[in-house]
Amino acid sequence: MALCPRALLGQPALNQDSELTGPSNDDYRSPFRNWDERSAVRARPRRTLSPDDDSSLYFSPDLVPVAAHDLVRHLRPELFEQVLTQHLYRYLAFTEKLETLVVNGTVLAIASGSVGVPLPDEMRLDAYRIYCDEAYHALFSVDLMRQVVARTGTQPVLPDQPYFLRRLQEIQAALPSPMRPLAELLFVTISETLISATMGEVPMDPTVAPAVRDAIRDHAVDEGRHHAYFAIFLRHLWGALDSAGRREAALLAPRLIDAFLRPDQPAIRSELQSYGLTRDDAEQVVSEVYGENTVRTQVAAMAQRTVQYFAALEVFAAPEVADEFHRYGLQPAAQ
C-alpha cells in the first residue's frame, strides 16, 4: 500500500515549508462524539435474512440502471430477479474491496500520523474509529452476500479486480513516484465525501428485503460521520501542501472522482450476456443506459458536494484547474 504506516513511519511531512497551515486544534469538533452508542459495529445487530425475505427483492429496481431497459425489463421474472441480486452483489463487493484494499490502509496511516499532515490528536483517534467502522462494513458485506447466495443459489458474477482499483492504479502509474501516495490520499478523501443514492433510497424501499435495507442503513449512518470527518481532513491536507502540491492535487481531483464513480461497463456487458442476451443486445443496453452524457450527469450529481469542498479551497481560481474539472463535467454550484 502506498500509505502503509510501517513504510512511511518517520518520513518527513508532505512539505515542511508549506505556505498555509491547517485549521488549529481548537477548530476540530469531532463527528464521532456518540460513536460508542451509534456506530454499527458497536450498536447494531448482525443483519440476517428471515424466511419472510423470500418474497422480497434484493435491490430497488429504480436504482439498477439496466433494469429499466426493455431488453432487461422483459427478461423472464427469475432472470430479472437475478439482475437485482447481482446488483446487490456488486454493491457489497465494491464496499468490501474499497474498505479493505484502499480506505483502511489510508485511515490507518492517518491514525498513526504517517501521512505528513499535522492533525489534532482527536482527529487521529477518530481515524481509528473509522478504521473499525470500515472493517465492519467489509465484514457485513461479505456476510450478507454469503447469506443471499445460500438463500437464492445465485452465484456472484463479478470481475476479478474492482474497476475503481484498476483505474486508481492506472492513474498512480502515470504519476511521478512522490505523487502516488498523495493520489491515494485524495482518492480516499474523495470517496468518503461523495453522495450515494443507494444509501439514501434503498433503506426506504419496502419492497427490498429488510436485512438488506437495514445493512445499507447501518452503512449510511456510519458514512455520514466519515463524510464530515474527511471534509475537515481535506482542509488540513490543503494546509500541509505548498502551492505546487495544491495545484497538482487540484488537477488530480477530477480524474479521481471519475475513476471512483464511472460504471464498469465491460463487467456489465459480461453480466448481461450471462442472462442470455446476445453480445449485440448487451452492447445496446450498455450504450443506451450508460451513454456518455448520462454518465457525466450522474457523476456530476453524486460529486456535487465534493466539488463544493474543492471550490471552498479556491481551486477554481486557477484557469487550468477549472478547465480540468470542466473537462469531466464537474462544476461548483452557482452561489
Side-chain angles (χ1 to χ4, degrees), residues 98-119:
L98 176 66
E99 313 296 38
T100 58
L101 298 181
V102 182
V103 174
N104 258 0
T106 295
V107 170
L108 186 57
I110 292 172
S112 66
S114 61
V115 295
V117 180
L119 296 174

Side-chain angles (χ1 to χ4, degrees), residues 69 71 278-290:
H69 195 283
L71 289 174
T278 66
R279 177 180 294 182
D280 288 345
D281 284 347
E283 177 59 38
Q284 179 184 342
V285 173
V286 170
S287 63
E288 292 178 359
V289 171
Y290 294 107

Side-chain angles (χ1 to χ4, degrees), residues 31-327:
F32 295 85
R33 293 182 300 281
N34 298 314
W35 182 82
D36 288 294
E37 295 79 27
R38 297 184 180 178
S39 66
V41 68
R42 291 283 200 183
R44 298 292 177 261
R46 179 189 179 215
R47 302 306 185 180
T48 56
L49 297 173
S50 71
D52 294 339
D53 292 338
D54 289 343
S55 60
S56 301
L57 303 175
Y58 287 109
F59 215 86
S60 302
D62 291 346
L63 296 175
V64 182
V66 298
H69 195 283
D70 285 346
L71 289 174
V72 176
R73 189 161 50 87
H74 294 142
L75 289 169
R76 298 194 313 274
E78 66 273 18
L79 288 178
F80 186 78
E81 289 181 8
Q82 286 187 34
V83 173
L84 305 183
T85 302
Q86 291 294 343
H87 196 85
L88 173 65
Y89 292 159
R90 197 155 46 244
Y91 170 81
L92 296 174
F94 184 99
T95 299
E96 179 219 347
K97 299 302 185 186
L98 176 66
E99 313 296 38
T100 58
L101 298 181
V102 182
V103 174
N104 258 0
T106 295
V107 170
L108 186 57
I110 292 172
S112 66
S114 61
V115 295
V117 180
L119 296 174
D121 288 344
E122 188 68 17
M123 279 195 76
R124 289 175 56 181
L125 182 62
D126 282 345
Y128 281 114
R129 295 185 173 106
I130 296 173
Y131 185 86
C132 293
D133 285 345
E134 303 295 34
Y136 184 58
H137 298 163
L139 171 61
F140 72 53
S141 294
V142 173
D143 182 21
L144 186 57
M145 187 186 299
R146 288 167 61 91
Q147 291 182 57
V148 175
V149 170
R151 179 65 60 86
T152 65
T154 300
Q155 295 295 323
V157 180
L158 298 166
D160 293 334
Q161 185 182 44
Y163 190 51
F164 74 84
L165 183 58
R166 186 164 74 249
R167 297 196 71 208
L168 172 60
Q169 291 171 340
E170 289 169 355
I171 290 171
Q172 289 180 296
L175 294 172
S177 296
M179 281 290 296
R180 293 172 188 171
L182 176 60
E184 190 162 325
L185 192 58
L186 274 173
F187 183 82
V188 170
T189 301
I190 286 166
S191 73
E192 293 290 302
T193 57
L194 295 168
I195 303 297
S196 166
T198 292
M199 289 189 185
E201 297 180 28
V202 171
M204 306 301 292
D205 186 347
T207 68
V208 174
V212 174
R213 284 189 278 133
D214 291 341
I216 293 178
R217 182 183 291 110
D218 292 344
H219 192 186
V221 172
D222 284 347
E223 291 300 335
R225 285 186 286 270
H226 301 182
H227 181 123
Y229 178 93
F230 275 96
I232 298 167
F233 176 81
L234 180 61
R235 300 202 308 269
H236 283 272
L237 172 60
W238 228 246
L241 296 169
D242 62 12
S243 58
R246 290 195 294 274
R247 173 186 172 277
E248 293 301 325
L251 289 170
L252 264 177
R255 274 183 284 167
L256 294 171
I257 291 170
D258 188 77
F260 185 81
L261 292 175
R262 185 165 288 271
D264 187 351
Q265 295 186 18
I268 295 170
R269 287 190 194 95
S270 178
E271 179 194 325
L272 290 171
Q273 289 179 254
S274 75
Y275 304 130
L277 271 66
T278 66
R279 177 180 294 182
D280 288 345
D281 284 347
E283 177 59 38
Q284 179 184 342
V285 173
V286 170
S287 63
E288 292 178 359
V289 171
Y290 294 107
E292 183 59 24
N293 288 339
T294 299
V295 169
R296 286 165 68 92
T297 298
Q298 292 172 342
V299 168
M302 288 186 281
Q304 186 57 239
R305 187 75 63 83
T306 303
V307 172
Q308 288 301 123
Y309 293 146
F310 280 97
L313 298 171
E314 301 182 351
V315 303
F316 288 88
E320 61 183 333
V321 172
D323 288 346
E324 186 70 1
F325 272 81
H326 179 73
R327 189 163 74 89

